[in-house]
Amino acid sequence: MPSNKSVSDAPIFQFTNCRILRNHELQREDLWVREGKILNPEKLFFDEKGSADIQLDCKDSIIAPGFIDVQINGGFGVDFSLATDDFKSGIDLVSQKILSHGVTSFCPTLVTSPPSVYHQILPQISVRNGGAHGAGILGVHLEGPFISKEKKGAHPERCLRTFEAGAFEDLLATYGSLDCVRIVTLAPEMQRSSEVIRELTQRGICVSLGHSVANLSQAEEAVRQGATFITHLFNAMLPFHHRDPGIVGLLTSDKIPAGRRVFYGMISDGIHTNPAALRIAHRAHPKGLVLVTDAIAGMGLAPGRHTLGQQVVEIDGLNTYIAGTKTLSGSVATMDTCVRHFLEATGCSVETALEAASLHPAQLLGIEHEKGTLNYDSDADFLMLSDSLYVQATYIAGECVWRRDTSGM
């Protein structure tokens, strides 16, 4: 068929012999890409009379949207909460290294820190597209310091803050800037939190509830004010109680405003959450589950001592503790590992496991029209995976940015 280049001179790529995750199911069809976007082949054939310039045989791989990690504190020796002279090179390293684990976009996460650290680090992070240089940056996730002392987890108590009179101004003074901020985790039981949630939401910033002793009615009120996310469900919050289930109760609350969905993060690393708890959450509210790594600087490194912001942490196998304690402090799991563990622990479908790391985080951030799906005209950020969900290749904007080396196999 002759190629009609009236629409664009850019080459058309046709990925053949694959199963594509589209409309919540794996479908045996080809994937068409041009200029970094997913093409509708019918429009190409009938409107443009076009055809592929380059065909690629996917060898029966699964093609799924790229993973989106909305809570990652660092990795490979880099700690996003440590102000250093070469901070930019550190974030570049992480964004490059996570490509091999299927992450095409992420939210670098800062844990509770002194104001001086926020003022130094936040201006050095900018929202950017992904590519051969690494995964795209969607904006920063600020976890703390406006959280509960009782549920501080690995956050340093001396840096925790409450909302004073003029609460939002206090938050602005603490962070210095909200220019590149995408998510803020706070404890909704704090006085004046409602006005802060409203103000953040009006600025397009996602408010997440976490590190909190909130009861269910306080959590529901936060959702009415605009909160849409729960930070690492079950961890650093009141345990489920049948008379007052706390934040966990949001999963089945009948007081969520119409048309609103509450999402919740889960660290599916086999350490932070018992598989039974993972199953309970998933069965209660499957469309809200967002897989996060909560990875720290020690991800990808040998066991030993590393940092998480102001704290020293110790890695022992897959466990990470504040040094000298048994307080869990982030994880060393990669996103592809979390997806596989989630699939195994819940017995869910492959499609469901993949969407928990792609579609759901995109919906949380309101970017599902560009990312998290393989719908026509969306960004061509996708993965080639084996049947057992090991990443074979990672593509961003239609360009292969990482491929598994099979020469030695």
Side-chain angles (χ1 to χ4, degrees):
M1 192 191 313
S3 178
N4 176 352
K5 294 292 187 183
S6 60
V7 173
S8 170
D9 288 332
I12 296 166
F13 295 85
Q14 179 187 9
F15 294 82
T16 65
N17 189 18
C18 53
R19 291 155 291 154
I20 301 172
L21 177 55
R22 186 176 280 151
N23 296 326
H24 315 298
E25 61 183 15
L26 289 173
Q27 305 180 12
R28 189 164 283 286
E29 56 183 87
D30 295 350
L31 184 76
W32 298 75
V33 174
R34 177 174 60 195
E35 291 186 302
K37 298 286 185 182
I38 309 286
L39 273 184
N40 181 341
E42 286 195 6
K43 281 188 176 177
L44 175 66
F45 301 152
F46 297 116
D47 297 353
E48 298 183 39
K49 307 290 188 286
S51 61
D53 297 294
I54 300 163
Q55 285 189 327
L56 296 124
D57 182 352
C58 299
K59 302 187 169 113
D60 205 35
S61 294
I62 292 170
I63 292 192
F67 299 149
I68 299 170
D69 193 351
V70 299
Q71 187 174 8
I72 171 171
N73 310 292
F76 315 100
V78 176
D79 184 341
F80 296 149
S81 301
L82 272 190
T84 58
D85 294 336
D86 59 347
F87 183 85
K88 284 186 175 169
S89 64
I91 208 164
D92 288 348
L93 175 74
V94 175
S95 66
Q96 216 282 317
K97 290 273 197 181
I98 57 180
L99 295 175
S100 65
H101 300 290
V103 177
T104 53
S105 303
F106 71 111
C107 293
T109 303
L110 274 65
V111 295
T112 295
S113 304
S116 59
V117 170
Y118 296 117
H119 295 185
Q120 199 173 338
I121 290 176
L122 288 179
Q124 297 187 69
I125 305 177
S126 50
V127 173
R128 68 182 185 203
N129 292 328
H133 58 276
I137 296 175
L138 299 170
V140 178
H141 179 169
L142 297 174
E143 187 187 0
F146 301 98
I147 58 173
S148 158
K149 189 191 297 184
E150 291 88 344
K151 293 293 178 183
K152 66 184 184 299
H155 293 238
E157 186 171 330
R158 68 184 182 281
C159 299
L160 299 182
R161 299 174 73 95
T162 54
F163 294 122
E164 306 305 326
F168 190 71
E169 286 68 29
D170 188 34
L171 176 140
L172 271 179
T174 300
Y175 294 144
S177 167
L178 293 173
D179 288 350
C180 64
V181 174
R182 201 62 184 262
I183 304 172
V184 171
T185 293
L186 53 78
E189 71 275 13
M190 281 192 173
Q191 282 193 324
R192 308 183 184 89
S193 65
S194 286
E195 61 186 271
V196 171
I197 294 169
R198 282 197 304 275
E199 188 69 44
L200 287 169
T201 304
Q202 282 164 11
R203 291 172 180 238
I205 294 170
C206 165
V207 174
S208 188
L209 311 179
H211 288 277
S212 163
V213 292
N215 59 34
L216 179 56
S217 63
Q218 289 168 323
E220 288 168 336
E221 177 58 25
V223 171
R224 277 193 289 275
Q225 300 300 333
T228 54
F229 195 39
I230 303 169
T231 295
H232 44 53
L233 187 78
F234 297 123
N235 290 284
M237 60 187 62
L238 290 178
F240 179 89
H241 189 281
H242 57 284
R243 277 194 287 278
D244 190 338
I247 290 177
V248 176
L250 288 175
L251 271 61
T252 55
S253 169
D254 58 0
K255 300 205 165 45
I256 306 301
R260 183 93 58 79
R261 186 187 305 178
V262 173
F263 294 88
Y264 59 97
M266 302 259 350
I267 309 167
S268 172
D269 62 353
I271 304 291
H272 277 78
T273 312
N274 185 285
L278 198 53
R279 288 192 287 274
I280 287 169
H282 175 245
R283 289 173 191 175
H285 185 25
K287 292 190 182 323
L289 195 148
V290 173
L291 292 178
V292 299
T293 61
D294 198 21
I296 64 168
M299 176 179 68
L301 301 181
R305 291 202 160 196
H306 302 282
T307 63
L308 176 60
Q310 310 297 303
Q311 309 270 50
V312 176
V313 299
E314 205 147 11
I315 298 176
D316 176 13
L318 289 175
N319 295 288
T320 61
Y321 303 114
I322 293 179
T325 76
K326 288 297 178 185
T327 300
L328 283 175
S329 54
S331 88
V332 289
T334 56
M335 184 58 90
D336 53 330
T337 303
C338 290
V339 171
R340 290 190 297 270
H341 177 72
F342 174 58
L343 177 70
E344 182 185 358
T346 62
C348 69
S349 67
V350 165
E351 292 93 334
T352 297
L354 292 169
E355 287 187 342
S358 55
L359 175 63
H360 296 175
Q363 290 171 330
L364 165 71
L365 297 176
I367 56 172
E368 69 271 26
H369 301 298
E370 298 101 52
K371 299 191 185 296
T373 75
L374 298 177
N375 293 343
Y376 303 139
D377 299 322
S378 63
D379 293 349
D381 297 356
F382 60 91
L383 312 173
M384 285 187 196
L385 300 135
S386 67
D387 284 358
S388 47
L389 302 189
Y390 284 86
V391 181
Q392 308 298 312
T394 303
Y395 285 75
I396 293 181
E399 175 191 2
C400 183
V401 293
W402 180 83
R403 184 176 296 281
R404 182 171 298 284
D405 180 11
T406 56
S407 60
M409 293 173 70

